Amino acid sequence: MPAEVAAGLYVLELEAAGERDALWVVLTSLALQVRRSEDQVLAWVTDINGRPMPNALVTAYDEDGQALVSGAGNHDGLARLDLPDGQEPAWVTATANGESTLTGLTSGWRSYTPSDTTLVQKATAQAVYITTDRPIYRPGDVTTFGPGYRVHN
């Protein structure tokens, strides 16, 4: 992205070899970690250096883009949102200091793997993955990375 592009949420439309796809691009200094249970969403909002973002507005949406519940984070950047009965959140946004970010909660939002994307399958028979030992970290935690390499036959 060019340096002059302002922080924000963008949709990048891609086309190659007759295939079309779209990708969310998030330019922000915010980080958003989300966990959910049957009746609650827990969101942790920080800046890119891991400092909590107090009072960040956090909103959970259903797959149709309808807001289910919103709330402000506490002084540690944590927001606990009680979900309405029977509602399934698909994605969550956080806004603080004039910037926003988002994360998805359904499989369609996860990073793709070659088995999920036909375009990647056509392009290569190999894949390299980098994983961590945990899905969420607090500032000061040790992060352990592990590589993976896969050849698809």
Side-chain angles (χ1 to χ4, degrees):
M1 300 291 284
E4 62 273 7
V5 175
L9 306 175
Y10 298 90
V11 176
L12 180 62
E13 294 181 345
L14 309 165
E15 185 173 351
E19 300 281 338
R20 293 182 59 112
D21 204 352
L23 172 72
W24 281 96
V25 177
V26 181
L27 298 179
T28 184
S29 64
L30 300 177
L32 173 61
Q33 296 289 328
V34 177
R35 295 294 174 263
R36 85 169 277 253
S37 65
E38 282 188 34
D39 60 353
Q40 193 175 70
V41 169
L42 174 65
W44 183 39
V45 185
T46 66
D47 68 11
I48 59 173
N49 296 309
R51 289 185 292 265
M53 297 299 292
N55 304 313
L57 177 64
V58 177
T59 304
Y61 295 86
D62 67 15
E63 64 184 19
D64 295 323
Q66 298 298 312
L68 299 175
V69 63
S70 291
N74 65 16
H75 66 280
D76 291 323
L78 292 170
R80 285 182 170 77
L81 307 178
D82 293 324
L83 294 169
D85 288 339
Q87 297 294 314
E88 292 290 325
W91 45 289
V92 176
T93 63
T95 303
N97 296 339
E99 291 190 43
S100 296
T101 190
L102 72 119
T103 190
L105 299 177
T106 61
S107 62
W109 287 86
R110 292 187 187 125
S111 297
Y112 68 83
T113 63
S115 62
D116 294 335
T117 309
T118 34
L119 185 58
V120 173
Q121 286 179 336
K122 292 176 187 175
T124 180
Q126 302 172 5
V128 176
Y129 303 92
I130 298 176
T131 60
T132 60
D133 62 330
R134 302 192 319 252
I136 189 169
Y137 296 87
R138 286 206 172 259
D141 286 354
V142 174
T143 306
T144 304
F145 293 90
Y149 175 75
R150 183 173 178 181
V151 177
H152 302 280
N153 298 330

